[in-house]
Amino acid sequence: MLDISKRIELINSLLEQDTEQSLTYAALESRLTLEYLCYERFRLYFSYLSESDLKNWQPKHIIKQISGEVDDNVAREFSISISDERIDGRLPETKEEFESIKYTPLGNQPELNLNKLHKLWNSVSNVALHIPVPSISSDSINIYGDKDKIREKVSEVVVFLSNIKGNLLVSGSFGKEYSFNCFVCDTKIKRPVSSLQQKTALSCINPKCQESYVIQKDKHDNFEVIRNVIKFTCLGCNEELEVPIRAFKDLRFNQILNIRCGNCSTLSEVIMRPLMKSTEAENSHNKALQRTSR
Ligand SMILES: [Zn+2]
Ligand SMILES: [Zn+2]
């Protein structure tokens, strides 16, 4: 966990130097500190969320995504206490029994006010870390921003950081989890059951693996895991070839993906091209099918 007091000390010493350079540097250190606070929490959730499933790299959005998809405790304040006390030699079972035993406090996780953090993260950058694009009406181009504005924003970051009080970060979810092993690389993939009530698409957490899955409930309320693939027919032996859908994610127009058949070793090429499809033709085809089945 980041030693915030050391970061504040560093930023304050740069504020005290009070030069254009030191204030710009203070703004940069402030921004990096805010990023670190988000990323150190993200790191604790690596086993739940694949990097390739991140919808937005900005620190606030990463934490928001964890909060929405894995566990909403990630940015919350709470304290943790433990106990090994027993009731008549057995573990407590009911809420009342849990409340009746003695606990030893372990510590607390500080809240991370994401909206405030995001605002500060942007504002230190706006006042110090970009040169405004010159226009016809601007006289000259300045390397540094306005000293007073930078000092004001950096000081706001220092206040924000000073209010973060806690001594531990918790990872994982408190509730029941569902897990399975990646069909290809065998890495364990897990999610809280509460986050899987709707059909969910997720990628394998192994950065070297291209597999992704859809998890949904079947008729008996059990989870079924479906590998996310596109199927092709081998041109050599007609065997079905399955290619992970993520293999196509970064392909550009006309780019070629080579697939070698595991059965007959024939090399097939898949070319990324637009495909035209007539919904009308499909509808009349379906109607024709219905007609013939009658
Ligand atoms: Zn995998
Ligand atoms: Zn083949």
Side-chain angles (χ1 to χ4, degrees):
M1 194 174 173
L2 181 67
D3 185 343
I4 295 179
S5 61
K6 277 208 173 127
R7 302 297 303 163
I8 295 175
E9 217 173 279
L10 171 71
I11 296 166
N12 276 336
S13 74
L14 291 163
L15 284 176
E16 277 162 28
Q17 289 174 38
D18 200 31
T19 64
E20 283 177 323
Q21 288 93 333
S22 76
L23 289 172
T24 306
Y25 185 23
L28 178 64
E29 291 287 0
S30 300
R31 193 169 149 106
L32 295 177
T33 306
L34 297 173
E35 280 181 22
Y36 193 104
L37 289 176
C38 289
Y39 293 158
E40 72 176 348
R41 293 193 192 210
F42 169 46
R43 198 170 61 168
L44 295 171
Y45 287 84
F46 271 179
S47 55
Y48 291 90
L49 186 64
S50 164
E51 222 183 306
S52 59
D53 285 345
L54 291 179
K55 293 176 186 133
N56 188 321
W57 67 270
Q58 291 184 330
K60 165 188 150 176
H61 293 292
I62 290 182
I63 301 299
K64 281 219 150 158
Q65 193 177 340
I66 296 171
S67 176
E69 292 179 20
V70 185
D71 190 68
D72 57 4
N73 283 311
V74 61
R76 280 201 191 135
E77 180 184 1
F78 56 85
S79 51
I80 287 198
S81 303
I82 50 162
S83 176
D84 61 357
E85 235 178 73
R86 284 166 185 262
I87 293 172
D88 304 329
R90 60 167 175 83
L91 292 171
E93 280 161 13
T94 61
K95 188 168 172 267
E96 288 72 28
E97 285 179 354
F98 272 106
E99 282 169 356
S100 71
I101 57 173
K102 273 197 203 105
Y103 291 90
T104 313
L106 272 185
N108 72 299
Q109 171 174 289
E111 187 201 353
L112 209 51
N113 182 336
L114 293 174
N115 289 337
K116 179 82 185 154
L117 180 144
H118 188 69
K119 221 173 134 199
L120 291 170
W121 180 76
N122 271 326
S123 60
V124 284
S125 170
N126 289 340
V127 293
L129 304 175
H130 299 289
I131 296 177
V133 179
S135 69
I136 292 176
S137 56
S138 55
D139 312 330
S140 56
I141 304 172
N142 291 324
I143 289 277
Y144 299 110
D146 182 273
K147 270 176 72 180
D148 291 337
K149 281 188 190 160
I150 302 176
R151 195 182 306 106
E152 190 193 320
K153 289 299 165 197
V154 171
S155 303
E156 281 179 33
V157 175
V158 170
V159 172
F160 177 80
L161 295 175
S162 313
N163 287 328
I164 299 176
K165 303 252 187 286
N167 56 356
L168 55 83
L169 294 174
V170 174
S171 99
S173 65
F174 290 113
K176 213 172 157 194
E177 289 184 344
Y178 174 75
S179 71
F180 66 97
N181 286 15
C182 173
F183 299 177
V184 174
C185 77
D186 211 34
T187 302
K188 190 174 178 184
I189 300 170
K190 54 183 179 176
R191 279 287 165 99
V193 166
S194 58
S195 74
L196 294 174
Q197 298 312 305
Q198 309 287 337
K199 190 173 170 185
T200 307
L202 49 84
S203 300
C204 174
I205 57 156
N206 175 357
K208 290 186 184 128
C209 178
Q210 283 195 314
E211 294 302 319
S212 62
Y213 298 91
V214 171
I215 303 178
Q216 61 187 27
K217 283 195 171 172
D218 65 13
K219 277 184 270 172
H220 312 288
D221 226 22
N222 295 321
F223 288 117
E224 63 174 341
V225 180
I226 304 157
R227 202 177 152 215
N228 232 344
V229 290
I230 296 183
K231 289 176 181 166
F232 298 96
T233 307
C234 171
L235 301 174
C237 70
N238 281 335
E239 181 91 344
E240 195 170 69
L241 302 171
E242 292 184 331
V243 184
I245 225 162
R246 279 173 60 205
F248 299 94
K249 214 179 101 194
D250 299 320
L251 286 190
R252 286 188 300 274
F253 174 62
N254 262 350
Q255 208 171 334
I256 293 168
L257 190 77
N258 292 315
I259 311 165
R260 190 174 294 281
C261 172
N263 187 40
C264 73
S265 291
T266 299
L267 193 67
S268 307
E269 289 184 337
V270 179
I271 309 167
M272 195 74 164
R273 275 193 195 151
L275 172 78
M276 194 156 104
K277 204 174 151 188
S278 159
T279 45
E280 217 166 84
E282 201 166 83
N283 286 342
S284 53
H285 176 69
N286 285 343
K287 268 180 206 152
L289 278 182
Q290 277 171 9
R291 241 173 260 137
T292 46
S293 64
R294 255 182 240 148

